[in-house]
């Protein structure tokens, strides 16, 4: 169903693909930005915990839609500080799909609350 593109002559990466084509699909799911908060609304204590919670929340939405991580075709990740990138990559790389989707990572000044460090939105197709 998905064809992933990493053309010759472009920098290759183990953490994303340059393009993802949806050849045919029955439905698409657009997932709003998921933040690193637990079910009680309390943010994780650090970037590692917030990353884990954000991905967990993302996967809960996929499961509720009868989808899973392999259906993700695009993710956009927002971090509030570039110094968080290493810990995010260490935690996120093992939790996100092993064959990653097209991905954009953006360093932003702030998210909706000063306690939030990461937000992940996604598009899935099945």
């Amino acid at each position: 169903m998905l064809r992933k593109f990493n053309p010759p002559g472009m920098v290759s990466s183990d953490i994303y693909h340059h393009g993802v084509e949806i050849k045919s699909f029955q439905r698409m799911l657009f997932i709003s930005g998921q933040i690193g908060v637990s079910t009680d609304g309390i943010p994780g204590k650090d970037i590692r915990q917030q990353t884990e919670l954000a991905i967990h929340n993302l996967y809960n939405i996929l499961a509720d839609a009868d989808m899973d991580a392999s259906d993700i075709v695009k993710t956009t990740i927002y971090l509030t500080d570039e110094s968080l990138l290493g810990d995010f990559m260490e935690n996120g790389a093992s939790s996100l799909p092993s064959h990653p989707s097209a991905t954009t990572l953006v360093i932003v000044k702030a998210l909706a609350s000063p306690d939030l460090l990461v937000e992940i939105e996604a598009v899935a197709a099945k």
Side-chain angles (χ1 to χ4, degrees), residues 9 11 32 43 45-46 55 59 61 75-76 85 101 106-107 119:
V11 175
S32 298
K45 64 180 180 305
D46 58 20
I55 293 170
Y59 286 177
I61 295 164
T75 55
T76 304
L85 186 57
S101 61
V106 182
I107 306 299
E119 184 169 338

Side-chain angles (χ1 to χ4, degrees), residues 70-83:
S70 68
D71 298 314
I72 296 173
V73 296
K74 173 72 171 106
T75 55
T76 304
I77 302 159
Y78 303 93
L79 292 177
T80 58
D81 190 319
E82 65 186 297
S83 69

Side-chain angles (χ1 to χ4, degrees), residues 21-79:
E21 175 186 25
I22 304 169
K23 292 185 179 186
S24 65
F25 61 93
Q26 295 176 345
R27 59 195 186 109
M28 293 181 71
L29 174 65
F30 294 84
I31 302 172
S32 298
Q34 296 304 301
I35 54 177
V37 298
S38 58
T39 56
D40 58 8
I42 298 173
K45 64 180 180 305
D46 58 20
I47 186 61
R48 290 175 182 262
Q49 192 175 51
Q50 285 194 28
T51 298
E52 182 179 300
L53 288 165
I55 293 170
H56 174 77
N57 295 338
L58 178 73
Y59 286 177
N60 276 342
I61 295 164
L62 287 166
D64 199 43
D66 194 30
M67 293 181 163
D68 61 38
S70 68
D71 298 314
I72 296 173
V73 296
K74 173 72 171 106
T75 55
T76 304
I77 302 159
Y78 303 93
L79 292 177

